[in-house]
Amino acid sequence: MLEVKGLSFSYGDFSVEDVCFEVREGEILTLLGPNGSGKTTILKSIYGLLKPKKKCVFVNGKDFHSLSLKERAKLAGYVPQSHHPPFPYTVLDVVVMGLASQLGVFESPRKEHYQKALEKLKLIGMERFKDRPYTQLSGGQLQLVLIARALVQEPKVLLLDEPTAHLDFKNQVKVLGIVKRLAKEEGISAVMTLHDPNLASLYSDRIALVKEGRIRAIGKPNEILREEILEEVYGVPICILEFNGFRLILPRTEVV
Ligand SMILES: Nc1ncnc2c1ncn2[C@@H]1O[C@H](COP(=O)(O)OP(=O)(O)O)[C@@H](O)[C@H]1O
Ligand SMILES: [Mg+2]
């Protein structure tokens, strides 16, 4: 279980203040908010890529940031928003790189490491791409490989930054479906950032609405995705339609 207790971080002219939430085993919590609201900053601060002002992140009761890199990698995996492949490594090699913190400086990955990587590629349905150069993948495939790379350490928590950015409709659904399956079948807790309220509504157990570096509200999608609060967070008139138990969130635009 992940607990974030009073996370604060400042870039100088932008700051994240007093972010608090808990994520249970197998739960998906989405940080939802407009561009520039601080979602990535929160996620990076949780993982320790940015240094929060005080001790504030606990995984299974352990102070996450005081752990070694190796111990941290076993507890949490981070899937960055974008990753530009510098070299045409194979897909399997990229996934094995997720085990870097478990290997010594001059130690090469062994058979068991490749087996573990293959197992994770299988889990997300990407096994057949294992020998493909990473530079030749589509956006959706790349995102899945990054998820496999984070999974190879078998973390309890996955942190995913805009996992659907730049993906088409089908791939958005595919990637989020896999995150959901990992949560429900493997018991992995997921914290992801999204800027689309409809996707957040469909795939989250709970949503934290982020505005100007603060959590404006947190709760179940149906409790929290309300017109007034979304209008305040996004700064546009919003209309919510209910259809067959689904809620469709739309900007209320003037047709000219
Ligand atoms: N490296 C940085 N240095 C200074 N300011 C930054 C840096 N990265 C992001 N910011 C600022 O922090 C704010 C929040 O950014 P970010 O967390 O990336 O938002 P989001 O992920 O919600 O789009 C923005 O105003 C952005 O300009
Ligand atoms: Mg971001």
Side-chain angles (χ1 to χ4, degrees):
M1 199 243 273
L2 170 72
E3 290 169 280
V4 178
K5 295 182 182 170
L7 184 154
S8 298
F9 173 85
S10 179
Y11 276 125
D13 56 355
F14 177 86
S15 58
V16 160
E17 297 289 345
D18 199 26
V19 168
C20 298
F21 59 78
E22 291 178 7
V23 190
R24 292 181 295 275
E25 193 179 312
E27 188 183 26
I28 301 178
L29 179 102
T30 298
L31 301 171
L32 175 69
N35 293 335
S37 57
K39 305 180 297 295
T40 296
T41 307
I42 296 172
L43 215 60
K44 283 186 175 170
S45 301
I46 293 173
Y47 194 57
L49 296 172
L50 296 173
K51 207 170 171 332
K53 288 180 188 160
K54 64 176 178 72
K55 185 160 60 166
C56 56
V57 178
F58 302 87
V59 180
N60 290 343
K62 290 182 186 159
D63 171 13
F64 185 64
H65 294 155
S66 72
L67 301 173
S68 69
L69 198 64
K70 190 171 171 176
E71 287 172 304
R72 268 190 278 164
K74 282 185 185 163
L75 288 176
Y78 181 74
V79 183
Q81 178 169 358
S82 53
H83 185 257
H84 301 289
F87 185 80
Y89 297 108
T90 68
V91 163
L92 190 63
D93 280 333
V94 170
V95 178
V96 164
M97 282 174 206
L99 288 165
S101 68
Q102 312 298 320
L103 297 169
V105 184
F106 299 109
E107 203 182 335
S108 301
R110 294 183 298 279
K111 202 172 162 204
E112 68 257 32
H113 299 118
Y114 284 101
Q115 249 154 13
K116 180 77 69 194
L118 201 56
E119 198 183 291
K120 299 306 166 195
L121 280 173
K122 252 187 217 166
L123 186 65
I124 56 154
M126 284 290 288
E127 190 196 3
R128 66 186 185 282
F129 294 100
K130 69 180 173 54
D131 299 319
R132 177 83 67 91
Y134 181 58
T135 41
Q136 291 174 16
L137 297 179
S138 73
Q141 292 164 345
L142 206 76
Q143 194 63 40
L144 291 174
V145 172
L146 291 178
I147 293 176
R149 187 180 68 163
L151 285 175
V152 76
Q153 307 257 23
E154 308 198 319
K156 309 273 178 274
V157 179
L158 260 191
L159 305 168
L160 305 112
D161 197 3
E162 300 273 0
T164 57
H166 317 300
L167 299 188
D168 65 20
F169 213 41
K170 180 179 166 190
N171 281 300
Q172 289 179 354
V173 169
K174 183 167 183 188
V175 167
L176 292 179
I178 283 173
V179 173
K180 193 154 188 169
R181 186 156 59 80
L182 291 169
K184 303 309 155 199
E185 290 175 13
E186 310 286 320
I188 291 175
S189 309
V191 181
M192 62 180 174
T193 71
L194 292 176
H195 58 258
D196 181 339
N198 286 302
L199 285 178
S201 169
L202 283 171
Y203 288 95
S204 316
D205 295 308
R206 279 186 308 139
I207 293 173
L209 276 173
V210 184
K211 186 189 177 193
E212 294 167 3
R214 284 164 184 77
I215 292 191
R216 170 65 187 74
I218 186 163
K220 294 196 173 126
N222 283 357
E223 295 163 4
I224 211 160
L225 298 176
R226 307 208 166 274
E227 287 167 3
E228 332 71 78
I229 188 166
L230 287 171
E231 284 178 358
E232 187 207 314
V233 167
Y234 284 91
V236 285
I238 300 269
C239 153
I240 299 185
L241 304 175
E242 306 253 352
F243 175 71
N244 278 355
F246 286 101
R247 292 153 63 83
L248 192 59
I249 301 148
L250 297 166
R252 200 151 16 93
T253 51
E254 305 272 329
V255 180
V256 285

